Amino acid sequence: MGLCGIRLDIAAACLSGVTAGIGIDFSLHYLDSIRKYGQSGSTIKVACDETQMLVGRAIVYDALTNTLGFLVVTLSGFVIVKNFGYLLAIAMATTSITVIVLMPVLLLLVKPKFISTDASFWRVRPVAKPADSIPENISTVVN
């Protein structure tokens, strides 16, 4: 922002939350696809390749159309709206490029467990007590 001469104002400050949300959205779509390929028995490299072809392409199309849409906002005569359009267009482009380029590298380096085909990792674990341990008249227990 400083290089472009854009001052930090309310609209620019709100952009950080939007940018984080965009990056998280792209990352979750990417990681979910990696997880599905990992469960089917693919290696991390194959899962990354398949995900790049499927989800990576969708991320590029999404980022491209949204970037072009936000660039239309830059035609506004209102400086705050114009700057918001520029910043969102840049945020869409950079977050999509970051996810597509950096995510496979990080996955190949870290090799997280959720990609594993190990059945014990995917076993459903109960998080609550069974229904038979809950008293029938709960109001007497609370009072």
Side-chain angles (χ1 to χ4, degrees), residues 130-141:
D132 57 352
S133 67
I134 298 174
E136 289 183 26
N137 189 355
I138 194 132
S139 63
T140 58
V141 175

Side-chain angles (χ1 to χ4, degrees), residues 52-107:
Q52 286 286 42
M53 294 305 294
L54 182 67
V55 176
R57 184 178 298 168
I59 289 173
V60 168
Y61 290 150
D62 181 21
L64 184 64
T65 56
N66 284 326
T67 299
L68 292 174
F70 287 126
L71 286 175
V72 170
V73 175
T74 63
L75 300 174
S76 171
F78 193 46
V79 176
I80 293 175
V81 173
K82 182 184 283 191
N83 289 343
F84 196 73
Y86 280 127
L87 292 174
L88 274 174
I90 292 168
M92 289 295 296
T94 55
T95 55
S96 64
I97 290 169
T98 302
V99 167
I100 290 172
V101 172
L102 197 59
M103 189 69 70
V105 173
L106 290 174
L107 290 171

Side-chain angles (χ1 to χ4, degrees), residues 6-29:
I6 298 173
R7 296 183 52 145
L8 182 62
D9 55 3
I10 298 294
C14 291
L15 183 67
S16 62
V18 173
T19 304
I22 293 167
I24 289 169
D25 183 54
F26 287 161
S27 297
L28 287 177
H29 286 296

